[in-house]
Amino acid sequence: MIRMATVRRSKPAKKRSGRYHHGDLQPALLQAALCTIQKQGVEAVTLRGVGKDVGVSRTALYRHFADKSALLRAVAREGFRMLRLALVERWEREGKGTAGFESMGMAYVQFAVNNPSHYRVMFGASILGDAADPELTEEGAAAFKVLVDALVEQQAQNLVRRDEPLQLALFIWSMVHGIAMLAIDGRLQHQHGSVEELARFAMARTRTGIATNR
Amino acid sequence: MIRMATVRRSKPAKKRSGRYHHGDLQPALLQAALCTIQKQGVEAVTLRGVGKDVGVSRTALYRHFADKSALLRAVAREGFRMLRLALVERWEREGKGTAGFESMGMAYVQFAVNNPSHYRVMFGASILGDAADPELTEEGAAAFKVLVDALVEQQAQNLVRRDEPLQLALFIWSMVHGIAMLAIDGRLQHQHGSVEELARFAMARTRTGIATNR
DNA sequence: ACCTGAACACCGTTCAAGT
DNA sequence: ACCTGAACACCGTTCAAGT
């Protein structure tokens, strides 16, 4: 688990001569990478820089991660965990109905807009790791499951048409993911409306598209 | 313009000693970069490699492009041009109605699936160029305009509800872009249905969402 | 004008050596 | 076990020098 509240020290950690780094170096490295990603983007992450931020040599990281892409995949995994928590929180708080579902869609887009670089790493990780990363895959699937479950529940309440839930979920996911990516890439600026406005409009049109036939 | 049919020579072009490269080095560099992108992905593009493919030194490129990101932005621009042509072709061939619109959506997703790395460059270019690239922006806007025009025309035919066309277009774009990105990232594999099946389903649900109130 | 090789400041990764 | 510095093979970019 990562504490988002902790502020990173601007100076490298003091090196007590002749001593090793404290035991929990792995989360410290992950936190440092995440911090750099959020402040300067993925491309600013270097093993040398991460090491220096934590107060450790540039090759120390290889004791805890196979390589740089493994570090970034760990960051991605943490992102899917955060996203999942944000989604369930909204869905349950807003009452597990049409309003809650729309709110969940808004929360998805908001997460991406608030953590653009982190979001990019989450969905860019598929290129990084040629070999399948089971832990990352699982965390991504867990986030997706929140969406599927919400649709199944709405079908049970007769709010959503009885199509294949997986296909419905992929449809919705594509839409919010598309809005998120376009927003992050700055492609929604030239319009007068805000990202939030577009997301709300899109969720409303989608609702009409997936509602039960009256 | 880039001829997609030309096959790149596997060996570096012969260097006739004491002679400069032929006059049209710029398109040759762009073609070489595009070829590497399609075969091995963006990260495989190096200025040294591109130069060698064309039979030129690694710094020759700087005569025709400001830097590496300028080369990639040129690739992105070419991609938007190709995408636009693919979209209008479908829209006009399939009869500028509901069928044509669905077909245009399919063409969009197909383009991305058939040119995954190229598509990624098109939408990753916003990170590359901090300074706004007017030519790239214009080419992207031209592709988007095809979508907006198609919606306006359908509104005139009373096929689509009379919302703000720009917002409708952004909604549709987000959806197909989302499907395209998820497909490219390999996140639609674990499902039984194909990408095409999902795209068709999504376009059908979207049609219901944006249709005029009967 | 257009192209070249040498040089510079980076990067990820490996590895023998230290404690 | 865990960490280190030196070394290796890359990379984009700059620049004086060639034709």
Side-chain angles (χ1 to χ4, degrees):
Chain A
M1 192 190 28
I2 289 183
R3 286 156 294 140
M4 295 298 297
T6 48
V7 178
R8 191 173 61 114
R9 301 167 299 281
S10 57
K11 289 215 173 187
K14 271 185 202 155
K15 273 212 293 189
R16 290 154 301 190
S17 56
R19 292 262 260 121
Y20 289 121
H21 187 273
H22 52 80
D24 50 353
L25 181 55
Q26 170 150 354
L29 290 167
L30 204 129
Q31 167 66 14
L34 184 48
C35 199
T36 304
I37 285 169
Q38 284 175 328
K39 288 195 300 189
Q40 301 170 260
V42 212
E43 61 281 1
V45 176
T46 68
L47 300 192
R48 285 159 165 85
V50 169
K52 184 178 283 187
D53 288 343
V54 180
V56 125
S57 107
R58 57 199 152 200
T59 60
L61 182 136
Y62 287 91
R63 288 289 134 191
H64 301 95
F65 296 96
D67 52 14
K68 186 183 181 180
S69 83
L71 171 66
L72 291 180
R73 273 181 276 129
V75 169
R77 186 176 147 223
E78 173 63 16
F80 278 114
R81 205 191 115 267
M82 289 164 59
L83 175 59
R84 173 174 52 87
L85 295 178
L87 294 182
V88 294
E89 198 273 335
R90 284 290 192 95
W91 169 244
E92 290 177 353
R93 172 154 60 93
E94 302 287 338
K96 301 187 176 188
T98 55
F101 193 70
E102 179 184 309
S103 184
M104 196 167 77
M106 301 301 293
Y108 188 102
V109 174
Q110 280 161 18
F111 175 86
V113 169
N114 291 335
N115 310 280
S117 300
H118 199 168
Y119 189 83
R120 245 190 283 264
V121 173
M122 288 161 60
F123 286 91
S126 62
I127 324 167
L128 295 172
D130 25 352
D133 186 327
E135 291 185 311
L136 175 56
T137 304
E138 191 185 359
E139 202 71 69
F144 181 64
K145 187 175 182 300
V146 176
L147 178 55
V148 177
D149 289 349
L151 284 163
V152 169
E153 186 151 335
Q154 286 178 98
Q155 284 179 327
Q157 295 175 4
N158 234 17
L159 295 172
V160 166
R161 67 207 311 276
R162 294 202 146 70
D163 289 326
E164 170 66 51
L166 251 48
Q167 201 159 32
L168 275 168
L170 287 173
F171 165 51
I172 307 278
W173 188 24
S174 296
M175 202 207 53
V176 290
H177 179 56
I179 294 176
M181 290 298 278
L182 292 179
I184 285 177
D185 289 347
R187 258 164 237 276
L188 302 180
Q189 246 96 51
H190 60 95
Q191 257 56 44
H192 37 71
S194 66
V195 174
E196 181 165 336
E197 197 179 329
L198 171 63
R200 206 171 289 283
F201 174 81
M203 288 302 290
R205 292 299 93 231
T206 300
R207 167 60 58 185
T208 302
I210 66 171
T212 49
N213 305 326
R214 293 131 299 182
Chain B
M1 163 128 121
I2 289 184
R3 286 156 294 139
M4 296 298 296
T6 48
V7 177
R8 188 173 63 114
R9 300 168 299 283
S10 56
K11 291 214 172 190
K14 272 185 204 156
K15 272 213 293 191
R16 290 155 299 191
S17 57
R19 292 262 259 121
Y20 289 119
H21 187 274
H22 52 81
D24 51 353
L25 181 54
Q26 170 149 354
L29 291 167
L30 203 127
Q31 167 66 13
L34 183 48
C35 199
T36 304
I37 286 169
Q38 284 175 327
K39 288 195 299 189
Q40 302 170 261
V42 211
E43 61 281 0
V45 176
T46 68
L47 300 193
R48 286 161 165 83
V50 169
K52 184 178 283 185
D53 287 343
V54 180
V56 127
S57 106
R58 58 199 152 200
T59 60
L61 182 137
Y62 287 91
R63 287 289 134 193
H64 301 94
F65 296 97
D67 53 14
K68 186 183 181 181
S69 84
L71 172 66
L72 291 180
R73 272 181 276 128
V75 169
R77 186 176 145 221
E78 173 64 16
F80 277 114
R81 204 190 115 268
M82 289 164 59
L83 174 59
R84 174 175 52 88
L85 295 179
L87 294 182
V88 293
E89 197 272 336
R90 285 288 193 97
W91 169 244
E92 291 178 351
R93 172 154 59 93
E94 302 288 336
K96 300 188 177 189
T98 55
F101 193 69
E102 180 184 307
S103 183
M104 196 166 76
M106 301 301 293
Y108 188 102
V109 175
Q110 281 161 17
F111 176 86
V113 170
N114 292 334
N115 310 279
S117 300
H118 199 169
Y119 189 83
R120 245 192 283 265
V121 173
M122 287 160 61
F123 286 90
S126 62
I127 325 167
L128 295 171
D130 25 355
D133 186 327
E135 291 186 310
L136 175 56
T137 305
E138 190 185 359
E139 202 71 68
F144 181 64
K145 188 175 182 298
V146 176
L147 178 55
V148 177
D149 289 348
L151 284 163
V152 170
E153 186 152 335
Q154 286 178 99
Q155 285 179 326
Q157 294 175 3
N158 235 18
L159 295 171
V160 166
R161 66 206 311 275
R162 293 205 147 69
D163 289 326
E164 171 66 50
L166 250 46
Q167 203 159 30
L168 275 168
L170 287 173
F171 164 51
I172 308 278
W173 189 25
S174 297
M175 202 208 52
V176 290
H177 179 57
I179 294 177
M181 290 297 277
L182 293 180
I184 283 176
D185 288 348
R187 257 165 238 276
L188 303 180
Q189 246 96 50
H190 60 96
Q191 257 56 46
H192 38 70
S194 66
V195 174
E196 181 164 337
E197 197 180 328
L198 172 64
R200 206 171 290 281
F201 175 81
M203 288 302 289
R205 292 299 93 232
T206 300
R207 166 61 56 184
T208 302
I210 67 171
T212 50
N213 305 326
R214 292 132 298 182

